[in-house]
Amino acid sequence: MKCKPIIAASIVSIAMLLACTSTFGQQSDTAPDSLRASSMISFVPQYLINNGIRVDYDVRLSGNKWLQLAPQFYLREEGSDAITQNDEDYYNLIGTGLHVYYKNIPNIDFKRTNAYISYGVAWQLFRLEHNERVNDFVTPCNTTINKVGAEVTVGLLTTLGQNVGIDFYAGLGFRHSFYTSNANSISRFKGGYLDYGYTGNIILLGVRLSFIKQKPITHKE
């Protein structure tokens, strides 16, 4: 059902909140000026629009260099009877994906606002069940979409206290999709940016809600 991604997002948000609370407890005995951000867990809410959920994990490699992993999961289950009046829609969707970015955050010690640039590659896999009407006959169809791409983004991370941040980003990229389907036409899945099978250039705009984990600074750093 449509509410499943929202339920999943709520569960993830609660889990991240608990992790953040645990982090507060672990760091309460350490002076703030002896800490440095080492990793971040972020929720990307705009993916809910497309029946998806995305949670990012950022880890500091060294200095101002970070690795960002962005796994995704997509789900929609309605059953074929739900769209008997709209044969152009799909009724079941399951998908996954992973974006991998290299990120440069110039401020080694996070300030109130922190600009950054990141670039990386993207992969997504979608499997859709849908109906197709041909000569007044409705035929159940299955379509699998493999999508690959790359992108460059710039962003601004604003810290809201020691362990919480909000991150706005924008960028450019491209996507290319490969299809396997028994349908005569799959144009419905590649018309625009938000379509699962879109191919072409894209403009990226987004927000991330982040929990920042700090660790004591060692002499090597």
Side-chain angles (χ1 to χ4, degrees):
M1 296 177 64
K2 286 184 178 180
C3 64
K4 285 192 175 181
I6 298 176
I7 295 172
S10 300
I11 294 172
V12 171
S13 298
I14 292 170
M16 289 194 298
L17 180 60
L18 293 174
C20 182
T21 303
S22 174
T23 301
F24 287 150
Q26 292 174 359
Q27 296 174 357
S28 58
D29 298 330
T30 308
D33 58 359
S34 66
L35 298 174
R36 177 170 294 166
S38 61
S39 61
M40 293 184 285
I41 296 178
S42 306
F43 174 54
V44 190
Q46 62 268 22
Y47 275 68
L48 293 172
I49 298 172
N50 222 21
N51 299 295
I53 181 171
R54 169 176 155 180
V55 178
D56 293 5
Y57 177 68
D58 296 45
V59 60
R60 184 194 294 271
L61 300 176
S62 63
N64 57 1
K65 301 177 178 62
W66 290 70
L67 176 67
Q68 177 183 341
L69 303 176
Q72 303 144 45
F73 180 70
Y74 300 81
L75 182 65
R76 176 179 172 182
E77 293 179 332
E78 292 192 358
S80 58
D81 292 340
I83 62 162
T84 54
Q85 302 301 317
N86 183 6
D87 298 323
E88 295 303 312
D89 202 359
Y90 62 92
Y91 49 86
N92 284 334
L93 159 74
I94 187 167
T96 188
L98 178 65
H99 295 183
V100 180
Y101 304 96
Y102 175 85
K103 178 183 290 185
N104 186 301
I105 305 177
N107 290 336
I108 295 180
D109 298 316
F110 279 5
K111 308 299 181 183
R112 174 68 177 175
T113 56
N114 306 270
Y116 67 83
I117 183 171
S118 66
Y119 52 89
V121 294
W123 167 78
Q124 294 169 310
L125 173 66
F126 303 105
R127 292 178 179 172
L128 303 106
E129 296 178 10
H130 54 99
N131 287 339
E132 183 176 60
R133 183 180 293 274
V134 180
N135 298 325
D136 294 328
F137 291 97
V138 175
T139 303
C141 297
N142 294 279
T143 296
T144 299
I145 302 171
N146 260 295
K147 184 191 293 186
V148 296
E151 58 197 56
V152 177
T153 62
V154 293
L156 192 65
L157 171 64
T158 300
T159 58
L160 309 173
Q162 184 176 322
N163 294 84
V164 180
I166 185 168
D167 178 352
F168 296 94
Y169 65 86
L172 298 173
F174 75 91
R175 297 288 188 268
H176 187 84
S177 298
F178 304 89
Y179 306 88
T180 302
S181 178
N182 63 344
N184 292 321
S185 174
I186 53 174
S187 59
R188 76 194 73 168
F189 301 131
K190 55 182 180 180
Y193 284 176
L194 295 180
D195 289 332
Y196 300 109
Y198 175 77
T199 291
N201 298 323
I202 58 172
I203 298 175
L204 301 164
L205 294 171
V207 60
R208 302 196 311 159
L209 307 176
S210 302
F211 293 101
I212 304 166
K213 182 178 180 181
Q214 309 260 2
K215 72 173 185 178
I217 298 175
T218 65
H219 293 297
K220 293 182 179 179
E221 297 178 290

